[in-house]
Amino acid sequence: MAIHAHRLLLVLPSLEQGGGERVLLQLAGSFLAAGRDVHMVALLGGGPLRSLVPDAVTLHELIDADDAPRGLALAWRVFPGLVSLIRSVRPDAVLSTMTGTNLLIALACMRAGIRTRLVLREASSLVNTKSALIRHAMRWLYRQAHELVAVSAGVAQDLRTLGLSKDRIHVIRNPVDVDRLRQLAAVGVPKAIQDNGPYVVSLGRLTEAKDFPTLLRAYASSRLRGSHRLVIVGDGEQRANLKNLSRDLGVADRVLLMGAMDNPHGVVAGAAMHILSSRWEGYPNVLLEALVLGVPVVSTDCPHGPSEILDGGRYGRLVPVGDVAALAGAMDAELGQPLPAVETLLIAHNHQVIASHYLALLDGAHWNGPP
């Protein structure tokens, strides 16, 4: 029998930039609108997304990000506080996102020893999970969840390879609030970008997964190099390497590394194209958001998500992962092409409908999601 989960606890690794974090923040607003009592816990406090936490959400921050260790040391440090918080809040249901946080909250719920419904949202391909220890931990701890949410069909298949019950795996794609997205984009383009002519853009953390070296090499060999600058929005450990590579390729004066932005949507809306060069993803909302803002897209056909979002190439060109020549050719070919109608995409990602699917799982309703 379904229950009404009135008090909800949403669990985030941090309030730094990240797609999964933004999705849970958006869901929090929808859950409030549905009359739920929403608590949110960030393992690491602070961060630029803190300002996006709805006022009516009770926010708990376990430790200051400036003083935080990383990896297992972080897990051991926050674990007692997480168990204590669960016992104090006594949520009817818990929703967590990101692999490491999911493993930690599953353990904490077991340790807290109270009855609560646990839903884990997995947003990453297992291509990104190279550790055998983490895979074993997922096989054990993900079984403790009442329901598992996969953000794409590809991620759902990855979870099934761990031996997890397919009956508890539900595909729920990421929500898009079109009106809010367009409001955020209305801030316009920063002067540093606007004053220097047309540009193409790519959003993402500067990490191995996003494969910005391939993007830089493709840009350097494309016709776009002469007509459009390349703007990269994001920060991460590869920043210095990317600066050096752009200099080696002779495009340092044509590439702008903007760093992370609280609101990058104005930059996306002003671009001639958005390019995703990732080696792996879960379900990259940046492609969908660019299309909503009227911006053509090119993407690698990486696991998982781009092919599902772009309907096999209907809404934007797909190229093999790591193929510099193919990416350069697709960028040149896509520029100036008319954008296909995206109404079907918007219906499938309506934020109110997506929130209702999550609430059904948190309430214990028997809903198996879209195929």
Side-chain angles (χ1 to χ4, degrees):
M1 178 183 293
I3 62 168
H4 179 77
H6 177 66
R7 182 172 298 157
L8 306 176
L9 177 62
L10 278 55
V11 188
L12 301 172
S14 73
L15 290 169
E16 297 296 326
Q17 301 289 352
E21 291 85 346
R22 288 181 181 274
V23 167
L24 255 65
L25 286 166
Q26 188 168 330
L27 288 172
S30 298
F31 295 164
L32 288 169
R36 308 300 173 99
D37 176 17
V38 181
H39 291 247
M40 178 174 286
V41 56
L43 306 186
L44 297 180
L49 296 182
R50 197 176 192 276
S51 62
L52 300 182
V53 178
D55 291 340
V57 167
T58 303
L59 177 63
H60 309 268
E61 298 169 286
L62 294 187
I63 61 174
D64 193 319
D66 293 336
D67 301 324
R70 298 296 173 186
L72 285 176
L74 171 62
W76 285 119
R77 185 162 167 190
V78 302
F79 184 74
L82 192 56
V83 173
S84 177
L85 178 67
I86 294 168
R87 289 172 174 164
S88 173
V89 173
R90 301 188 71 83
D92 299 311
V94 175
L95 171 63
S96 173
T97 191
M98 313 301 284
T99 306
T101 306
N102 289 343
L103 296 174
L104 195 64
I105 193 66
L107 273 173
C109 285
M110 292 168 65
R111 179 66 174 170
I114 66 169
R115 290 188 62 184
T116 187
R117 188 167 177 80
L118 178 60
V119 177
L120 302 180
R121 174 185 179 272
E122 183 52 65
S124 184
S125 164
L126 283 184
V127 172
N128 188 32
T129 309
K130 296 170 181 159
S131 166
L133 179 61
I134 291 178
R135 286 174 180 258
H136 285 308
M138 291 175 73
R139 285 190 184 96
W140 173 47
L141 289 171
Y142 276 34
R143 285 190 173 92
Q144 310 307 313
H146 293 83
E147 310 290 351
L148 299 167
V149 172
V151 297
S152 66
V155 171
Q157 179 57 39
D158 280 357
L159 292 176
R160 287 193 286 270
T161 66
L162 295 174
L164 300 169
S165 170
K166 66 179 182 180
D167 293 335
R168 292 190 297 118
I169 300 171
H170 311 270
V171 177
I172 305 182
R173 295 179 173 90
N174 290 338
V176 174
D177 184 336
V178 174
D179 291 338
R180 176 163 173 75
L181 181 64
R182 289 174 176 159
Q183 286 175 359
L184 291 170
V187 300
V189 182
K191 189 173 176 60
I193 299 175
Q194 191 176 45
D195 290 350
N196 290 286
Y199 64 93
V200 295
V201 69
S202 186
L203 265 68
R205 289 176 173 145
L206 308 186
T207 63
E208 176 191 0
K210 304 302 181 183
D211 196 13
F212 285 112
T214 289
L215 174 57
L216 287 176
R217 292 186 177 97
Y219 172 74
S221 63
S222 73
R223 294 195 302 272
L224 288 176
R225 173 178 179 170
S227 59
H228 293 71
R229 288 168 304 119
L230 172 61
V231 175
I232 297 176
V233 179
D235 219 336
E237 65 266 19
Q238 290 196 343
R239 183 180 180 88
N241 292 339
L242 294 174
K243 288 186 71 172
N244 292 335
L245 179 58
S246 64
R247 186 172 57 249
D248 294 343
L249 293 168
V251 294
D253 62 332
R254 304 290 292 163
V255 175
L256 178 60
L257 296 174
M258 281 292 293
M261 299 179 67
D262 292 351
N263 176 13
H265 302 296
V267 176
V268 175
M273 184 189 307
H274 182 278
I275 306 135
L276 185 86
S277 54
S278 297
R279 292 188 172 276
W280 63 81
E281 287 282 353
Y283 197 78
N285 257 29
V286 289
L287 293 178
L288 181 61
E289 290 171 350
L291 291 171
V292 170
L293 294 173
V295 178
V297 299
V298 169
S299 175
T300 53
D301 190 9
C302 66
H304 299 288
S307 183
E308 291 179 48
I309 293 172
L310 302 182
D311 193 16
R314 175 184 175 188
Y315 296 106
R317 296 174 195 268
L318 291 161
V319 301
V321 170
D323 191 327
V324 171
L327 183 57
M331 289 158 57
D332 287 338
E334 186 67 20
L335 189 67
Q337 293 297 309
L339 196 69
V342 296
E343 283 77 9
T344 302
L345 279 176
L346 298 185
I347 292 170
H349 296 82
N350 179 278
H351 68 105
Q352 294 172 323
V353 173
I354 297 297
S356 72
H357 293 337
Y358 273 96
L359 285 174
L361 296 183
L362 292 165
D363 286 344
H366 295 288
W367 176 81
N368 289 316

